[in-house]
């Protein structure tokens, strides 16, 4: 059993000369090959009038649906958005059994280069596990800033520490009641244990390589997050030496998912993200 994350991540291969339509097509074909049938679980590219791209990354067991409201808001403000699908998601959780955190990271290159090839500036926004992936995209590739929504830097459930052992005895774990239980078209009702092992690896990898972060970050976390310990975000914020801003939400109605209507204060966060993007020299 590996004690350290088994895979090293690296800079994406250069796809600057690949046509945008082809990049989007490849990404969608991968989704179809994994049985994605719901159109809201497919990756989506929307051009905006600004010369600025936003790569959106959803969380573990979620789908692009999770980031769609935020994407629509930013697109309405003129930004070009790519709502990515992390491989293994948006279909059946069994697909996560054979994929690694490196596969998750690599799958984002199509959205990254779709935006890189069409925009002058590029930002990435990630929810939960998507926040970890967003940081790693920033560690190794060229972009202008990162927005983190409840980044999964410290899982609250102490049982998570034992998933490397549990993978040898069970394949999946049913989710307990959550705010996504009525959204089963977009969120898996169970968690792949092997997928959770790689989520654990990704958390460890992200912490180990935090000194690679050189771009500004805006970090949001609710003190009442019931999945991820907000203190992990505070610790990460304190340990990175980049231009940074931390927004802690002290409201018991606000839980883990900040990117959608599951967050009753989403409008405040959307506006804060917009203001931060424009303050970071985004072309108007």
């Amino acid at each position: 059993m590996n004690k350290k994350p088994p895979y090293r991540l690296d800079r994406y291969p250069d796809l600057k000369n690949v046509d945008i339509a082809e990049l989007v097509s490849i990404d969608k074909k991968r989704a179809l090959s994994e049985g994605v049938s719901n159109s809201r679980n497919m990756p989506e590219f929307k051009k905006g009038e600004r010369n600025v791209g936003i790569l959106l990354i959803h969380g573990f067991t979620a789908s692009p649906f999770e980031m769609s409201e935020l994407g629509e808001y930013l697109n309405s403000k003129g930004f070009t958005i790519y709502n990515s699908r992390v491989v293994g998601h948006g279909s059946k959780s069994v697909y996560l059994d054979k994929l690694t955190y490196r596969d998750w990271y690599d799958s984002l290159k199509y959205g990254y280069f779709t935006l890189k090839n069409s925009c002058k500036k590029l930002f990435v926004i990630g929810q939960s596990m998507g926040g970890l992936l967003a940081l790693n995209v920033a560690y190794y590739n060229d972009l202008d800033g990162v927005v983190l929504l409840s980044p999964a830097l410290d899982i609250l459930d102490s049982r998570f520490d034992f998933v490397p052992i549990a993978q040898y005895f069970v394949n999946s774990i049913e989710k307990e009641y959550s705010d996504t239980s009525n959204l089963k078209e977009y969120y898996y009702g169970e968690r792949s244990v092997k997928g959770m092992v790689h989520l654990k690896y990704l958390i460890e990898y992200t912490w180990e390589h935090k000194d690679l972060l050189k771009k500004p970050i805006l970090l949001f976390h609710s003190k009442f997050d019931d999945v991820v310990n907000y203190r992990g975000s505070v610790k990460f914020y304190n340990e990175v030496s980049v231009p940074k801003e931390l927004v802690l939400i002290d409201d018991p109605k606000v839980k883990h998912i900040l990117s959608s209507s599951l967050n009753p204060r989403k409008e405040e966060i959307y506006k804060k993200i917009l203001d931060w993007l424009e303050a970071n020299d985004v072309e108007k």
Side-chain angles (χ1 to χ4, degrees), residues 6 8 14 19 37 42 96 112 130 135 152 188-189 201 243 255 281:
R8 177 171 176 80
D14 190 352
D19 183 75
S37 58
M42 294 287 285
L96 290 174
Y112 172 84
L135 284 168
Y188 293 151
Y201 285 148
K255 303 298 184 181
D281 297 325

Side-chain angles (χ1 to χ4, degrees), residues 29-85:
K29 285 177 180 177
R30 175 68 186 266
L32 292 171
S33 75
E34 290 181 10
V36 177
S37 58
N38 190 320
S39 62
R40 302 202 71 180
N41 291 345
M42 294 287 285
E44 183 177 33
F45 173 56
K46 282 189 176 181
K47 198 78 176 71
E49 60 193 34
R50 299 188 192 222
N51 199 15
V52 180
I54 310 290
L55 180 65
L56 300 157
I57 311 173
H58 62 78
F60 185 66
T61 73
S63 69
F65 170 82
E66 184 171 68
M67 305 299 284
S68 60
E69 291 179 65
L70 176 56
E72 288 164 9
Y73 171 82
L74 292 172
N75 186 244
S76 74
K77 301 300 180 183
F79 295 96
T80 294
I81 64 104
Y82 195 101
N83 192 0
S84 57
R85 183 193 73 98

Side-chain angles (χ1 to χ4, degrees), residues 5-12 100-108 132-141 201-202 205-206 209 212:
Y7 302 114
R8 177 171 176 80
L9 306 182
D10 210 338
R11 189 178 182 87
Y12 287 141
T100 70
Y101 67 91
R102 186 168 66 184
D103 295 321
W104 300 342
Y105 169 79
D106 287 345
S107 71
L108 300 171
L132 304 179
L133 291 168
L135 284 168
N136 282 281
V137 173
Y139 289 172
Y140 297 107
N141 302 280
Y201 285 148
L202 181 61
Y205 189 96
T206 303
H209 295 84
L212 294 175

